[in-house]
Amino acid sequence: PWKPVLLLLSPPAFSTTCAWCAKDRRLRQKRAISERQLTRYFVDQRKVRVVGGQGGGGGHSFYSEPRKVFGGPDGGNGGDGGHVILKADQQMKSLSSVFPFYQGFHGERGGSKNCYGANGAHMYVKVPVGTLVKEDGKVVADLTQHGDEYIAAYGGAGGKGNRFFLSNENRAPKLFTPGEPGQERILHLELKTTAHAGLVGFPNAGKSSLLRAISRAKPAVAAYPFTTLNPHVGIVHYQDYEQVAVADIPGLIKGAHQNRGLGMAFLKHIERCRFLLYVLDLSVPQPWIQLQDLKHELEAYEKGLSERPCAVIGNKLDLAQSRISLPLLREQVAERVIALSALTGDNLEELLLHLRELYDTYVKTEQSQGQSPVKW
């Protein structure tokens, strides 16, 4: 025989109507963005057309009231157009939010009773710290500090009202001038990642794995070359609240200074690093050849770049071949070699301590020269 069955359903959370017909309004967690999707969000070059605001036209009027019919001209001047200003902001990490066109606000027209028009507001465009501004291939600005500003396009001057042209020879001028158009320019913005340390190495040397091990950055890791297509910056936190920024530069190959592989597109990001961390793969028979090739590529790109303070990191210590290559590497290399495994976390403490020593030396050098060190 048929028996009725009573179903007890729990009402969904956050209902606005009855519990039986309300939709489930629980907060959903955002999905993690994959490396392939992240590549389109990082932009290090942008072509921008900037136009300053147009100045307001001058006023044209004559003062007239009872018992004072011929009061004379009283048209005020127009307001100036607003500038387009590029401003460095340390919260910005990419040029992806920069639009291809910006125009300043226009100035208002001059009014009667000698009232001047209001000036147009300035248009501020936030760009990351380390942005180069180029025009016709020449560098016109380098925004290296937080808060640095550059006027990309000046606003036009406001027009003159007929009151401006009053003189003894012309007591009733009818002449007034329109506002001038704003300056128009086409600029090329180029971002050079600003970080304290830069991880330099060949593809599959383990740079991304090392950055994941010492910071909270999550670059993609895979067993094929050129997994990292864009620079990633991770922050290493210390107990005294100091923060050291470490940049994971995409892998270089021989001939990178001739624009082979990823080439020049990412060699420029190494320029802004204060010290370098050469990451070598200890699982190859002669890892010191990697260091020689890396220094050659850096020196060919910019003279003196390979002479910056550095440390040599021998990665993949957990492999059997690495135990054989490590003593040979220390015999061939004059710099200090830090052997570790980014996969298992072996000997990461030595790297973090040496990284802090390099950072403290950089801070003392900048302060002794009267400059402010880069802070994150």
Side-chain angles (χ1 to χ4, degrees):
W2 178 82
K3 295 182 180 180
V5 178
L6 180 61
L7 296 178
L8 298 178
L9 300 178
S10 60
F14 303 104
S15 66
T16 55
T17 59
C18 68
W20 300 99
C21 11
K23 293 183 178 179
D24 189 1
R25 301 178 186 272
R26 287 172 292 184
L27 297 178
R28 294 181 177 88
Q29 194 174 11
K30 286 187 176 181
R31 291 188 303 173
I33 301 177
S34 64
E35 172 71 14
R36 180 177 296 179
Q37 291 173 317
L38 279 172
T39 54
R40 73 172 186 265
Y41 293 126
F42 183 87
V43 178
D44 59 353
Q45 290 185 354
R46 184 72 92 188
K47 181 179 179 182
V48 183
R49 176 171 166 255
V50 289
V51 181
Q54 184 172 358
H60 177 261
S61 65
F62 289 89
Y63 183 73
S64 178
E65 66 176 12
R67 302 187 185 91
K68 196 173 183 180
V69 180
F70 300 102
D74 66 346
N77 298 337
D80 298 333
H83 307 326
V84 179
I85 302 175
L86 303 178
K87 186 172 183 178
D89 190 343
Q90 62 184 5
Q91 299 296 329
M92 306 292 292
K93 303 303 178 185
S94 171
L95 293 173
S96 58
S97 60
V98 177
F99 295 110
F101 174 74
Y102 287 97
Q103 183 171 21
F105 295 96
H106 302 317
E108 294 185 2
R109 185 179 183 85
S112 58
K113 299 181 181 180
N114 296 322
C115 291
Y116 283 25
N119 295 332
H122 300 319
M123 171 73 70
Y124 285 90
V125 182
K126 293 183 178 181
V127 296
V129 176
T131 299
L132 277 178
V133 185
K134 294 184 178 181
E135 184 179 20
D136 297 331
K138 297 181 180 180
V139 178
V140 295
D142 190 358
L143 308 177
T144 58
Q145 298 291 335
H146 174 71
D148 288 351
E149 296 182 0
Y150 173 69
I151 301 179
Y154 286 91
K160 303 298 183 182
N162 61 342
R163 171 73 181 183
F164 178 82
F165 298 98
L166 177 64
S167 64
N168 292 331
E169 292 78 15
N170 188 2
R171 304 302 299 174
K174 297 182 179 180
L175 178 63
F176 64 98
T177 59
E180 296 182 359
Q183 184 184 16
E184 181 175 353
R185 302 170 70 185
I186 296 179
L187 303 176
H188 294 267
L189 306 183
E190 182 178 313
L191 174 61
K192 295 184 178 181
T193 304
T194 302
H196 298 121
L199 297 176
V200 185
F202 286 105
N204 276 19
K207 301 182 298 298
S208 299
S209 300
L210 182 60
L211 186 65
R212 293 172 70 103
I214 64 177
S215 71
R216 295 181 180 178
K218 300 298 180 185
V221 175
Y224 53 84
F226 300 111
T227 309
T228 303
L229 299 177
N230 299 304
H232 294 269
V233 179
I235 308 300
V236 181
H237 299 269
Y238 290 91
Q239 292 183 354
D240 57 351
Y241 302 105
E242 284 288 352
Q243 298 179 352
V244 180
V246 181
D248 176 18
I249 309 299
L252 303 178
I253 63 173
K254 291 184 179 181
H257 68 280
Q258 299 175 350
N259 211 19
R260 293 180 181 174
L262 299 177
M264 307 281 287
F266 295 104
L267 272 171
K268 62 187 178 185
H269 292 283
I270 307 177
E271 294 181 41
R272 299 297 174 93
C273 297
R274 272 54 183 183
F275 40 90
L276 304 178
L277 303 177
Y278 295 100
V279 182
L280 308 181
D281 186 357
L282 289 179
S283 62
V284 299
Q286 297 178 334
W288 56 88
I289 297 181
Q290 299 180 26
L291 181 61
Q292 298 173 1
D293 294 338
L294 288 172
K295 287 189 174 183
H296 172 72
E297 293 299 327
L298 297 183
E299 194 66 25
Y301 174 72
E302 181 182 342
K303 189 175 183 180
L305 189 59
S306 63
E307 299 176 359
R308 293 189 180 180
C310 66
V312 179
I313 301 173
N315 194 16
K316 303 183 181 180
L317 188 62
D318 52 302
L319 301 180
Q321 178 64 33
S322 302
R323 306 288 180 176
I324 304 175
S325 301
L326 179 58
L328 301 177
L329 175 64
R330 286 176 171 164
E331 292 178 1
Q332 298 288 335
V333 174
E335 294 88 351
R336 177 180 178 180
V337 178
I338 301 176
L340 53 83
S341 174
L343 179 63
T344 61
D346 292 343
N347 206 26
L348 286 180
E349 294 81 3
E350 183 181 356
L351 172 61
L352 295 176
L353 291 175
H354 186 60
L355 184 64
R356 181 59 189 270
E357 294 176 1
L358 293 173
Y359 174 76
D360 292 339
T361 304
Y362 156 71
V363 171
K364 292 179 181 179
T365 304
E366 292 291 311
Q367 292 176 349
S368 63
Q369 297 176 356
Q371 301 178 358
S372 57
V374 176
K375 295 286 186 178
W376 280 75

